[in-house]
Amino acid sequence: MKIILPDRKTIEEEREPAVIKDILESLGINPASVIVAKNGNIVPDDVILENADELKIISFAHGG
Amino acid sequence: MNNPNLCSICGKPAAVRLNNPERRLCAEHFIKDAEERVFKAIDAAEMIREGDRVLVGLSGGKDSTALILILSEYVKTRPDVKLIAVTIDEGIAEYREDTIKAAERLVEHTGVEHGIISFTELFGDTLDRLVADRKNLACSICGVLRRRSLTEAARRFDADSIATGHNLDDEAQSVLMNMLRGDKPSLIQDSSLGYTGYFVPRIKPLAVLSEKEIVTYIMLKGFYTPLPECPYAVTALRMEARKIIGTLEERYPGTKLNIVRFRDGIRKHVPYSPKGTKGKLNTCKICGELTSGEICQVCRVLNRKQSDE
């Protein structure tokens, strides 16, 4: 599973399939403050991420 | 997730899950849903009257990007309405240049008339230089000068109203901040009404969309550009309010909307007059603009003396 964090750092590790929201919370990220893209497509955070998937986390918590 | 992640309308993969009513929407139907909610809010509150010239504050940031895109769609059904975009160049190095370029791309795409007004032109210097020895006050000084700049822009472009990109999060945060400060006049002040013969009405068409929905909207429309953060953006109380409301919204969906509706309910029962004036306005002894006291806020933050004018 590849996870691209808001600061563009990348985490690559073997993981059991998990709901994106749970992954975010395990990373200490409030799901309400980010938008997530699974394999390049924006998805709701209750979608499941498989080990082969890529998750991009986009933070928008500043500036109007 | 028990249900497949499919659009409730067309069955394509969903990009968004929304509450009240619970629904999943694909990119195309989310865009339509968001636009329709804004259109409905504009019409329900009669924000834009027949033949209005609407000045759109266009910083080039995420909120104003969504605002100009959605209003451009709205006026397709209201050819009597004219949009004019205006960008305020405060003079903030390594920040405003990028957002002005974004604003220029947007007006080129939408075909909306565009003007740029700078602090240097209106107040004689850039924000960077005006706050060089008082950076801790930069946000509040900038806010005062931006409001005056928009008023001046409305005058120049003969606008009937000023549309700004305030979203549901901004509005809910402001309610909480006003409560925490004990600032009742700000809580009940409704600038959307204007003040006949004095102030140009301010309208906030995006106040029905959350910040997350706005960013999702511009991403799905292909207009999302990560931009630098304003170097002065350090309003501590707003950050606290954002955190508190964000946590509550996560636990109790609908919290933001309920806070704003609660404020609107209070406003219906309280007569409006410009803040602190009890209905009486004066002209500033220095610059001649309207003010509730003797010297307006702009002249105060610029430390202008009567002999300066």
Side-chain angles (χ1 to χ4, degrees):
Chain A
M1 191 177 290
K2 183 177 177 186
I3 302 172
I4 304 167
L5 298 169
D7 62 5
R8 297 186 185 180
K9 281 184 190 152
T10 302
I11 301 171
E12 274 192 82
E13 60 186 16
E14 296 294 315
R15 268 194 189 231
E16 291 294 311
V19 174
I20 293 174
K21 190 176 174 182
D22 295 340
I23 296 174
L24 293 174
E25 283 169 354
S26 74
L27 294 167
I29 297 171
N30 180 351
S33 69
V34 295
I35 289 167
V36 289
K38 176 184 170 182
N39 302 327
N41 296 311
I42 295 175
V43 291
D45 60 19
D46 61 352
V47 163
I48 291 171
L49 204 69
E50 307 283 345
N51 190 39
D53 291 329
E54 177 190 282
L55 177 70
K56 186 172 183 190
I57 305 168
I58 304 136
S59 172
F60 52 82
H62 62 73
Chain B
M1 186 183 70
N2 297 320
N3 300 317
N5 182 46
L6 299 175
C7 177
S8 312
I9 298 171
C10 69
K12 285 183 188 165
V16 179
R17 175 173 50 96
L18 300 174
N19 296 304
N20 196 24
E22 171 82 25
R23 59 208 190 277
R24 289 175 189 275
L25 297 171
C26 66
E28 183 191 337
H29 284 111
F30 171 70
I31 287 170
K32 199 161 177 253
D33 184 285
E35 288 174 351
E36 280 173 359
R37 273 185 285 153
V38 174
F39 296 173
K40 206 170 148 188
I42 293 172
D43 292 341
E46 297 177 356
M47 289 185 203
I48 301 177
R49 295 156 304 175
E50 195 173 347
D52 267 359
R53 292 170 60 82
V54 181
L55 188 89
V56 183
L58 180 65
S59 69
K62 58 182 164 53
D63 297 315
S64 66
T65 296
L67 182 65
I68 194 87
L69 290 171
I70 295 178
L71 286 181
S72 300
E73 290 300 319
Y74 179 76
V75 296
K76 286 180 184 168
T77 61
R78 292 280 308 268
D80 57 300
V81 176
K82 162 98 174 155
L83 300 178
I84 309 115
V86 76
T87 303
I88 311 296
D89 180 1
E90 305 92 343
I92 305 173
E94 290 171 26
Y95 169 66
R96 193 45 89 202
E97 296 93 335
D98 286 353
T99 60
I100 288 177
K101 277 181 205 152
E104 284 169 342
R105 281 196 297 274
L106 280 161
V107 291
E108 199 182 318
H109 171 81
T110 54
V112 173
E113 182 184 343
H114 185 219
I116 298 176
I117 292 184
S118 72
F119 277 13
T120 304
E121 175 195 347
L122 293 183
F123 310 115
D125 218 334
T126 62
L127 184 73
D128 285 341
R129 280 198 286 266
L130 289 169
V131 301
D133 56 351
R134 43 183 177 158
K135 285 187 178 157
N136 58 324
L137 298 174
C139 264
S140 50
I141 291 173
C142 185
V144 169
L145 300 182
R146 285 177 59 81
R147 278 193 289 280
R148 173 65 60 82
S149 304
L150 283 173
T151 304
E152 176 57 27
R155 208 176 275 153
R156 286 188 192 180
F157 291 101
D158 194 24
D160 299 293
S161 61
I162 299 171
T164 57
H166 292 86
N167 60 46
L168 183 61
D169 293 61
D170 297 327
E171 293 293 278
Q173 288 158 16
S174 293
V175 173
L176 183 58
M177 287 163 68
N178 288 329
M179 285 172 64
L180 294 172
R181 288 181 182 136
D183 186 351
K184 196 169 69 179
S186 290
L187 182 72
I188 59 173
Q189 176 176 286
D190 184 357
S191 55
S192 69
L193 302 174
Y195 194 62
T196 310
Y198 294 103
F199 297 128
V200 180
R202 306 286 174 117
I203 61 171
K204 299 174 182 175
L206 300 191
V208 289
L209 299 181
S210 70
E211 188 176 25
K212 186 167 178 167
E213 287 176 316
I214 284 172
V215 180
T216 304
Y217 175 86
I218 59 172
M219 278 182 171
L220 294 174
K221 292 273 281 185
F223 283 91
Y224 178 74
T225 318
L227 291 166
E229 184 169 7
C230 178
Y232 301 116
V234 284
T235 315
L237 187 58
R238 185 168 289 277
M239 290 310 288
E240 292 283 339
R242 173 199 285 271
K243 240 185 256 176
I244 293 166
I245 295 171
T247 306
L248 288 172
E249 179 72 33
E250 190 62 22
R251 276 196 231 158
Y252 310 104
T255 296
K256 290 173 198 168
L257 198 57
N258 287 340
I259 292 173
V260 173
R261 282 182 180 158
F262 178 70
R263 177 206 64 190
D264 292 345
I266 291 174
R267 282 179 175 175
K268 275 186 195 156
H269 298 285
V270 182
Y272 168 72
S273 67
K275 190 176 176 180
T277 63
K278 293 178 182 164
K280 187 173 172 288
L281 286 171
N282 307 310
T283 50
C284 172
K285 286 189 169 173
I286 298 174
C287 71
E289 288 288 335
L290 288 166
T291 175
S292 54
E294 293 193 341
I295 309 294
C296 74
Q297 273 190 311
V298 169
C299 290
R300 273 186 277 161
V301 301
L302 294 175
N303 296 319
R304 282 175 176 160
K305 309 283 178 227
Q306 275 181 279
S307 56
D308 289 352
E309 285 292 302

